[in-house]
Amino acid sequence: MVQVSAGLEGVIAAATVLSDVDGQAGRLTLRGWAVEDLAGRARFEDAAHLLFDGFFDDLPTDLAPALGAARVRAFAEVVALDTALAARDPYDAMRALLARLPDGETLHDALVLAAAPAVFTAATLRCRDGQAPVAPDPALPHAADFLRMIRGAAPTEGEARALDAYLVTVCDHGLNASTFAARVAASTRAGLGSAVLAGLSTLKGPLHGGAPGPVIDMLDTIGTADNAVPWLEAALDAGERLMGFGHRIYRVRDPRADALKAALARLSRTAGALPGRLALAEAVERAALDILRRRKPDRPLETNVEFYTALLLEALGFPPQAFTCVFAAGRTVGWIAHAREQQAGGKLIRPQSVYVGPRPRAAA
Ligand code: ACO
């Protein structure tokens, strides 16, 4: 009997120089850097440079001006954002606009794709609220301009640094589901736009990048710390999964959760309003971990990146419906780098299935 590896668990499908997820030790290494060292120090542009290095011959030392110009190029597509598209889920609207970009191979194509999620998310959120889109300022750092394009006003330095910490933290993560999808598309020699769209579509679901919105719903419904245990027990009794907990690879705490919690703590020192929310989240986290340990003693289920993503993006003023768009704004550079790596050295990805349907019928 042929063994099927459900969910491809344990299958090694690529060699990569980009990132290493050590699930037993709870370590994420991005091209030789521990994620917690990179987040909080590097800007998004630096992370993009780190990932693109070696995959484009014409990579400049400082990516910031080229990424700024790429935001301006992406903004030209915002004319296609009509009221019907703006009324859709922000993720779907962003993906539809992204599909208009060239399916090319150059560094310029890559940078426009990398810049686009921020530009399209900002424009979509503003149109949804009946406001005119704000054009990019190519002279600003990417994270600061992302927030400015949404708000129509410059963010504080602390807010821009917090968004940088988030985008850097999520920029790449081994062969996660969306990166695998991007590599499959790239392995057919489709262009970078196709690889990014494959990754984008795969990121959307709540078992992957769609979890942080529901984390906010969970915190809002729980409301107070003393309601955490009964609510969580009832959700699990109803067969639900707790969003923001569990991971395919990590058997200990996801190191990105700590990187984001640290970014949140830095932000709260400058922004004020967070302590109550953070205290509720910590109480819910403690209760959830206790309950999961008791109910699933054989399956270590720890906090994953999405739990503190939700809190950080909420603190930065993003509406929960846009959280996955912001995740994509960080992860796109990872998809692009993996697509280039796959094309440089990889074969067509084409696994096999085992047929379990009926045998051919005898012709009458
Ligand atoms: N809450 C409750 N039970 C859970 C959870 C959870 N969050 N996660 C896993 N389990 C349970 C499953 O019900 C299953 O139990 P069973 O063996 O009794 O049926 C067991 O743990 C194993 O679950 P699998 O689905 O086989 O584990 P897998 O490694 O495939 O799942 C996943 C990983 C999808 C992330 C899962 O933990 C989950 O659904 N978490 C909630 C959603 C979430 O937070 N997603 C974001 C992940 S991070 C990211 O992708 C960026």
Side-chain angles (χ1 to χ4, degrees), residues 9 206-209 211 236 240-249 251 254 256 292 296 299 301 304-306 327 331:
E9 187 157 10
L207 299 195
H208 191 14
L236 290 169
E240 288 172 26
R241 290 184 176 210
L242 304 182
M243 293 294 127
F245 298 92
H247 198 271
R248 173 63 67 78
I249 307 294
R251 289 293 164 262
D254 183 336
R256 299 170 299 172
L292 288 170
K296 305 263 178 208
R299 174 81 181 186
L301 294 169
N304 68 43
V305 64
E306 301 291 48
F327 193 163
R331 183 56 59 84

Side-chain angles (χ1 to χ4, degrees), residues 272-283:
L274 293 167
R277 191 64 156 166
L278 190 53
L280 171 66
E282 284 175 335

Side-chain angles (χ1 to χ4, degrees), residues 45 141 145 194 202 239 253-254 277 281 344 360:
E45 289 84 343
D145 205 22
S194 298
T202 311
R253 196 179 164 82
D254 183 336
R277 191 64 156 166

Side-chain angles (χ1 to χ4, degrees), residues 103 105 183-192 194 343 346-348:
D103 195 15
E105 287 299 339
R183 284 189 83 122
V184 172
S187 83
T188 70
R189 300 198 184 158
L192 291 174
S194 298
Q343 284 172 341
K347 250 175 105 123
L348 172 73

Side-chain angles (χ1 to χ4, degrees), residues 282-303:
E282 284 175 335
V284 170
E285 184 188 13
R286 271 193 306 276
L289 292 174
D290 274 357
I291 295 170
L292 288 170
R293 271 178 207 130
R294 183 163 39 74
R295 288 193 179 224
K296 305 263 178 208
D298 301 330
R299 174 81 181 186
L301 294 169
E302 298 287 336
T303 314

